[in-house]
């Protein structure tokens, strides 16, 4: 059974919502308090005080512009009619809620239709290579709905794929700033810089992609190509090797690896190994040779320390007495 304290708390909550013009929550809280009052055993002074509080909230509701058409001016609190009044307020709440939800759905539908219309019109001009006219429609719709998720990325991607990467960069950078957790604008921006031969910027975008989302086979191959274009051959080889570790059948990565590996590492080249792995293997081999006392000659042979010491120049032998040449003066 509800206590006077609980009823007053609900009424106080309804009054606070009314002061903030939050009529939906005000209606709901007032309905709950009336329903509690109807099922309680509150009498005398406490019920009189509660009645005064309910009247104050009802006057708040009647003063709201949003409810003037719904609430009758003659509506007031009558003792003994709490249950009926609670049902009236809850019905008004549910009716308004349903209408608001329907209006919200209609608004979203209308907004989506408008976005589609402008974007498709812009795409039509892009197909005709009229980027100036296309951008008019793209700019209007992105300014009209700046919070529409994916819109900036969609517009930027369309410009890039239609052959206007420089125009798409603006929208893609804004999309990344707005939703940095979405990988799509990064991929489109990378494509734009690749088309513009902006290798430095493309490499920076790839670094961002790897840092935020991790790398994959496709990213490694694109990275290898960019490094190759900048003549950063070891970096290009390592990116291709990383792609091959992900997919040993990747033809583009294998082509770059087979082309660069022998030229960079010579006879120490091991297909599929990264530069660090080959360097580590070379260091380990050198350490082993040093431990065994091996040295390598230019002619390809090898010798131990003992052999090397044995080959040191021997002291000259004294000639035999019979063969000695005497000089008399």
């Amino acid at each position: 059974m509800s206590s006077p304290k609980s009823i007053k708390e609900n009424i106080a909550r309804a009054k606070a919502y009314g002061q903030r013009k939050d009529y939906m929550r005000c209606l709901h809280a007032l309905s709950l308090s009336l329903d509690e009052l109807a099922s309680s055993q509150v009498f005398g002074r406490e019920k009189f005080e509660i009645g005064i509080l309910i009247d104050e909230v009802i006057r708040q509701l009647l003063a709201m512009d949003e409810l003037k058409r719904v609430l009758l001016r003659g509506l007031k609190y009558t003792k003994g009619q709490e249950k009926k009044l609670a049902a009236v307020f809850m019905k008004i709440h549910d009716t308004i809620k349903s209408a608001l939800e329907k209006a919200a759905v209609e608004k979203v539908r209308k907004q989506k239709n408008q976005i589609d219309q402008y974007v498709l019109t812009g795409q039509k001009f892009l197909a005709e290579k009229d980027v100036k006219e296309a951008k008019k429609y793209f700019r209007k719709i992105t300014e009209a709905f700046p919070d529409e998720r994916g819109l900036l990325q969609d517009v930027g991607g369309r410009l890039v794929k239609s052959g206007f990467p420089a125009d798409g960069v603006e929208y893609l950078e804004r999309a990344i700033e707005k939703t940095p957790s979405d990988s799509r604008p990064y991929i489109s921006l990378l494509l734009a810089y690749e088309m513009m031969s902006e290798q430095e910027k493309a490499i920076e975008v790839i670094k961002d992609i790897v840092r935020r989302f991790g790398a994959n086979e496709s990213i490694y191959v694109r990275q290898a190509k960019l490094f190759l274009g900048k003549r950063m051959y070891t970096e290009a080889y390592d990116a291709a090797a990383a792609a091959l570790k992900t997919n040993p059948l990747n033809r583009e990565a294998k082509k770059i690896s087979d082309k660069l590996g022998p030229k960079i590492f010579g006879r120490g080249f091991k297909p599929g190994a990264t530069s660090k792995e080959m360097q580590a293997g070379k260091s380990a081999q050198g350490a082993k040779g040093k431990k065994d006392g091996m040295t390598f000659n230019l002619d390809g042979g090898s010798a131990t320390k003992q052999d090397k010491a044995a080959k040191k120049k021997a002291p000259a032998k004294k000639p035999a007495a019979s063969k000695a040449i005497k000089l008399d003066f």
Side-chain angles (χ1 to χ4, degrees):
M1 186 175 292
S2 300
S3 66
K5 182 181 177 182
S6 173
I7 297 170
K8 287 180 180 179
E9 284 176 353
N10 268 327
I11 296 173
R13 197 174 293 114
K15 187 176 180 179
Y17 288 139
Q19 289 172 343
R20 298 204 300 263
K21 304 297 181 184
D22 188 347
Y23 58 90
M24 290 297 290
R25 290 182 178 178
C26 181
L27 283 167
H28 188 263
L30 181 58
S31 177
L32 289 178
S33 62
L34 285 166
D35 200 43
E36 279 187 308
L37 183 59
S39 59
S40 70
Q41 296 294 325
V42 180
F43 301 100
R45 183 178 180 83
E46 284 184 332
K47 190 165 186 177
F48 176 75
E49 291 175 351
I50 290 173
I52 292 174
L53 294 174
I54 291 173
D55 275 334
E56 288 180 6
V57 177
I58 292 175
R59 283 197 297 271
Q60 279 183 323
L61 288 169
L62 290 171
M64 295 182 190
D65 293 334
E66 296 87 351
L67 297 178
K68 284 180 179 179
R69 294 182 181 180
V70 181
L71 294 176
L72 300 176
R73 282 291 173 180
L75 185 64
K76 61 180 181 179
Y77 168 60
T78 305
K79 293 179 182 179
Q81 298 296 314
E82 292 87 2
K83 197 78 174 175
K84 184 178 179 181
L85 196 56
V88 169
F89 283 125
M90 187 56 75
K91 185 177 180 180
I92 292 171
H93 171 274
D94 293 343
T95 302
I96 294 175
K97 182 181 178 182
S98 178
L100 289 173
E101 289 174 350
K102 185 177 179 180
V105 170
E106 189 62 33
K107 182 181 178 181
V108 170
R109 186 182 291 114
K110 185 178 179 181
Q111 179 175 311
K112 295 289 185 184
N113 288 338
Q114 188 176 356
I115 290 172
D116 289 345
Q117 182 182 351
Y118 273 69
V119 170
L120 292 176
T121 304
Q123 183 64 50
K124 180 182 176 183
F125 283 110
L126 284 181
E128 297 170 0
K129 300 301 177 183
D130 188 350
V131 68
K132 185 177 180 180
E133 198 64 26
K135 285 176 69 176
K136 286 182 182 179
Y137 285 89
F138 291 152
R139 196 169 297 282
K140 283 180 182 178
I141 203 64
T142 52
E143 288 176 357
F145 303 107
D147 297 324
E148 179 66 17
R149 186 174 179 84
L151 180 58
L152 291 169
Q153 187 274 329
D154 183 26
V155 169
R158 287 174 185 271
L159 285 163
V160 173
K161 291 177 182 178
S162 298
F164 303 99
D167 297 292
V169 166
E170 171 198 346
Y171 292 97
L172 294 170
E173 288 180 340
R174 285 167 58 194
I176 288 172
E177 184 179 354
K178 200 167 192 65
T179 53
S181 60
D182 187 354
S183 64
R184 295 175 299 170
Y186 289 90
I187 301 300
S188 296
L189 185 61
L190 173 58
L191 176 60
Y193 285 139
E194 287 174 338
M195 292 170 67
M196 296 162 63
S197 298
E198 293 277 3
Q199 294 168 335
E200 289 285 354
K201 291 181 178 179
I203 288 172
E204 289 303 314
V205 174
I206 281 185
K207 288 180 181 178
D208 282 344
I209 292 172
V210 173
R211 184 173 64 252
R212 291 178 179 275
F213 310 105
N216 56 33
E217 177 187 348
S218 173
I219 291 297
Y220 283 133
V221 172
R222 293 170 83 164
Q223 194 174 35
K225 289 179 178 179
L226 287 168
F227 283 135
L228 189 61
K230 288 183 61 62
R231 299 186 178 183
M232 298 169 66
Y233 298 126
T234 302
E235 291 83 354
Y237 171 81
D238 280 338
L244 286 172
K245 286 183 182 297
T246 305
N247 178 14
L249 301 178
N250 189 295
R251 293 183 179 181
E252 291 181 292
K254 190 174 187 308
K255 184 178 178 180
I256 294 173
S257 177
D258 291 346
K259 178 182 178 180
L260 296 179
K263 292 183 179 179
I264 298 173
F265 307 106
R267 294 174 63 184
F269 171 57
K270 293 182 179 180
T274 64
S275 61
K276 288 184 178 179
E277 290 171 345
M278 284 186 280
Q279 187 63 37
K282 186 177 179 181
S283 299
Q285 187 179 12
K288 185 177 184 299
K290 187 174 181 181
K291 182 179 179 182
D292 293 343
M294 297 289 289
T295 59
F296 295 89
N297 299 325
L298 294 176
D299 60 2
S302 61
T304 63
K305 288 183 178 179
Q306 291 79 0
D307 293 337
K308 187 175 181 182
K311 288 184 179 181
K312 286 184 178 179
K313 188 176 180 180
K317 294 181 180 180
K318 292 183 178 180
S322 59
K323 294 182 180 180
I325 300 174
K326 294 182 180 181
L327 298 177
D328 297 327
F329 294 95

